[in-house]
Amino acid sequence: VQVYEGLVYMDFSKDIMEDQGHGRYECLDPSHAPPFWLAYLSDPSDSGRFHSNVRQRFDNGDKEVMEAMRTFADYTDQARVTLEAGDAGKLSELMNMNFDLRRRIYGDPAIGQKNLQMVDIARQHGSAVKFCGSGGAVVGLCTEPNNLVQMKRQLQEEGFVVCDIIPYLGTPAGSNGTVPLPGNTP
C-alpha cells in the first residue's frame, strides 16, 4: 500500500489472482476515512520471530485457515463499505475482529510479545487496532481524543513509535471516489 500512497482497497480473490496473476488494487477517497494512527516497534527484533505454519496449512487446504482467509476478505469488503459511509464504529469493530482472528489462526508466538503489547495498550484506551501487514506495526482508530493522547503517551513510554496517519490526497478520484491503479481493469 505504501507504493500507492493512500487508502487502497485490495482484492485477492481466487478468480482475480488466477486471471490477472495479481490482486486488484483500487485507491479510495481518503476524505471519508476517520483519523488513524500508526505505532511500530522501535526495535523490530521481536516482531514475531517464531514462524507459523499458516502458509503450509493454507496450501494443504486446512479448513480452519481457508475459512479464516474468506473471513478476512469479507472483513475487507465490509470495511470498504463502512469507510465510504463514514461509520467509524463499525470500522473499529471490524479492525478488532481482524486482529482477533489473526491471533487465533497464527498464535501468540508467531505474533510476538511486543506486538501483543501494542495491541493491549491500544485496547486499554478504547482504540481499535490491527496489524498493517505482517507485524511489527499496527494501525489504530481511536474516536476519543483524551484516550488517544493517553494511549500515545503510554505506547511511547513503552518504547514504541507512534504517529498520526495523514493520507495522501493527490490521487485523482473517479466519479465513484475510486481510481483503478496501473495493471488493473475497472
Side-chain angles (χ1 to χ4, degrees), residues 51-70:
H51 297 285
S52 79
N53 64 348
V54 171
R55 177 59 194 235
Q56 184 62 47
R57 290 171 61 198
F58 178 84
D59 290 344
N60 291 340
D62 180 285
K63 289 181 181 179
E64 182 182 30
V65 171
M66 300 302 280
E67 180 59 31
M69 297 305 151
R70 284 189 289 274

Side-chain angles (χ1 to χ4, degrees), residues 64-146:
E64 182 182 30
V65 171
M66 300 302 280
E67 180 59 31
M69 297 305 151
R70 284 189 289 274
T71 301
F72 286 131
D74 181 57
Y75 291 165
T76 302
D77 293 340
Q78 289 183 59
R80 179 183 185 177
V81 171
T82 62
L83 274 166
E84 291 170 346
D87 187 348
K90 178 65 176 173
L91 184 58
S92 294
E93 181 182 318
L94 289 165
M95 290 172 69
N96 283 330
M97 289 168 34
N98 177 288
F99 179 80
D100 292 344
L101 178 57
R102 183 179 186 135
R103 184 176 188 180
R104 192 180 86 229
I105 294 298
Y106 282 82
D108 288 357
I111 289 176
Q113 196 55 41
K114 287 295 199 178
N115 287 316
L116 291 169
Q117 185 182 10
M118 278 191 291
V119 170
D120 185 52
I121 290 170
R123 287 185 171 179
Q124 286 175 25
H125 294 279
S127 187
V129 63
K130 65 176 287 305
F131 279 144
C132 303
S134 61
V138 295
V139 62
L141 170 57
C142 186
T143 57
E144 179 54 50
N146 290 335

